[in-house]
Amino acid sequence: MKADRSAAAPVFNIQSYCIHDGPGIRVTVFVKGCPLKCLWCQNPESQAPFPQLMTYLNKCTGCGACVNACPNGAVTVQNGLSVTDREKCTACGVCVSACPAECREIAGKMTTVEEALEKVLQDKLFLDTSGGGMTISGGEALYHPDFTQNLLMAAHEEGIRTAVETCSFASREVIDRVFPHVDTALLDVKHMNSEEHRRLTGVPNEQILSNIEHIANDLKVTVWLRVPVIPGYNDSTENIEATARFAAERLGHGTRIHLLPYNKLGESKSENLGRELLLSADTPSDEYMEKLKKICDSYGLDTKIGG
């Protein structure tokens, strides 16, 4: 079966020369839409499955061009800066075109497999020579299974190796459709306690952990576990040890695990979306990250900090 290159999904970025989204140099396709609502989300503009306006008030000159352009009366100038009423805004993009300071943009555009693949293929030489490929991330790649499956298939048709970065919260039917076309699975483990997982992300973790085992053990896909380390939320030695034990006992010694220290990028993006900041945390120290790495190392795991 050949890929349907007309399948489409909302995409908010296609980023070249990524070195942290799988083996080698990658082109990463970021889709919009996610069933989880992680308090620390690094890409809050990826959560909703539709276009959204982002504003960068540090660039705003208060010229009022966006006020005059907006067809919905959603923009006013207050204290020298443009302010958008998010309830009135339809993300039509007219104000983006009108802004001379380029302090507004629309995050998300419906993109076909063919359009995404065309951009990926521009870097094929670098992907091939580095042992890299294409990664689909988000948001959540499995939130758009038709697009994700067909983009993976199309990449394989062009000789490009594939990876998917996912929270693994999806039906088994979706897992079985998508992962036969995945060479490397980057699977998030956010908390081992299901109730804490629900509190922090909006969903429990039983289905997620079951899917991870299925991907690794039944579908035989190469799995890299990725653990965001959020101080005060999931960074306890008890949680990291429980994660390491799961990886070693359920997936096998030698499983690769990446400990990802929290950074504040998502906090500024929340402001750009006009959203209330749900979480603010400090970046964990290098010393503490090394302590957590030693815990994972003790279980025979291939542990990396970052990436």
Side-chain angles (χ1 to χ4, degrees):
M1 182 176 68
K2 281 194 168 288
D4 175 6
R5 301 194 179 199
S6 67
V11 171
F12 70 95
N13 194 13
I14 299 178
Q15 185 173 341
S16 297
Y17 210 87
C18 298
I19 57 174
H20 298 301
D21 296 332
I25 297 172
R26 320 290 301 181
V27 175
T28 302
V29 179
F30 293 89
V31 298
K32 269 178 70 68
C34 184
L36 273 61
K37 297 294 179 282
C38 302
L39 298 181
W40 57 78
C41 183
Q42 297 295 286
N43 292 319
E45 75 275 28
S46 74
Q47 291 185 353
F50 47 78
Q52 292 173 287
L53 175 70
M54 298 187 75
T55 59
Y56 305 93
L57 295 184
N58 59 316
K59 296 182 179 181
C60 181
T61 64
C63 70
C66 53
V67 177
N68 297 327
C70 180
N72 303 302
V75 189
T76 56
V77 174
Q78 300 177 21
N79 299 318
L81 296 174
S82 63
V83 177
T84 302
D85 184 335
R86 299 284 171 163
E87 292 187 0
K88 293 182 179 179
C89 178
T90 62
C92 67
V94 174
C95 66
V96 175
S97 301
C99 178
E102 298 183 345
C103 68
R104 295 171 162 258
E105 71 170 331
I106 299 297
K109 175 186 175 184
M110 287 302 293
T111 304
T112 66
V113 166
E114 185 66 33
E115 291 168 334
L117 188 65
E118 181 179 352
K119 293 190 176 183
V120 174
L121 288 172
Q122 291 174 3
D123 290 338
K124 190 173 189 298
L125 177 62
F126 298 105
L127 307 185
D128 291 344
T129 56
S130 71
M134 179 194 71
T135 300
I136 308 179
S137 185
E140 173 51 53
L142 302 183
Y143 196 83
H144 304 283
D146 289 340
F147 175 82
T148 294
Q149 178 187 4
N150 282 286
L151 181 54
L152 294 168
M153 291 171 62
H156 274 171
E157 290 169 6
E158 300 292 343
I160 297 173
R161 295 183 65 79
T162 62
V164 165
E165 181 181 3
T166 173
C167 68
S168 305
F169 187 73
S171 69
R172 186 59 56 87
E173 184 268 336
V174 166
I175 297 292
D176 287 342
R177 282 178 55 193
V178 168
F179 280 90
H181 312 290
V182 176
D183 298 306
T184 305
L186 313 177
L187 309 181
D188 294 348
V189 178
K190 303 175 190 294
H191 208 294
M192 289 301 293
N193 179 281
S194 188
E195 283 307 308
E196 277 298 287
H197 196 284
R198 185 194 296 271
R199 182 177 74 86
L200 298 173
T201 72
V203 304
N205 70 5
E206 288 86 357
Q207 184 176 7
I208 290 170
L209 297 179
S210 175
N211 281 338
I212 290 174
E213 289 188 63
H214 178 59
I215 292 164
N217 299 327
D218 301 326
L219 301 181
K220 307 298 183 184
V221 180
T222 298
V223 165
W224 295 5
L225 294 187
R226 294 161 65 90
V227 183
V229 178
I230 319 299
Y233 293 86
N234 71 343
D235 68 328
S236 69
T237 55
E238 292 80 9
N239 182 57
I240 298 303
E241 184 164 8
T243 305
R245 188 182 309 114
F246 166 80
E249 294 179 357
R250 303 296 183 87
L251 309 179
H253 297 285
T255 296
R256 177 177 286 202
I257 184 168
H258 288 257
L259 302 175
L260 309 177
Y262 175 74
N263 68 64
K264 293 180 175 291
L265 178 63
E267 297 182 20
S268 61
K269 287 186 174 184
S270 290
E271 295 176 2
N272 299 148
L273 285 168
R275 284 179 31 171
E276 178 185 357
L277 186 62
L278 299 178
L279 176 147
S280 181
D282 294 325
T283 300
S285 68
D286 293 343
E287 293 76 15
Y288 193 69
M289 293 301 299
E290 287 293 339
K291 179 180 179 178
L292 299 184
K293 181 180 184 299
K294 288 179 180 178
I295 292 173
C296 295
D297 287 342
S298 72
Y299 281 84
L301 303 174
D302 177 14
T303 313
K304 313 289 182 185
I305 296 175

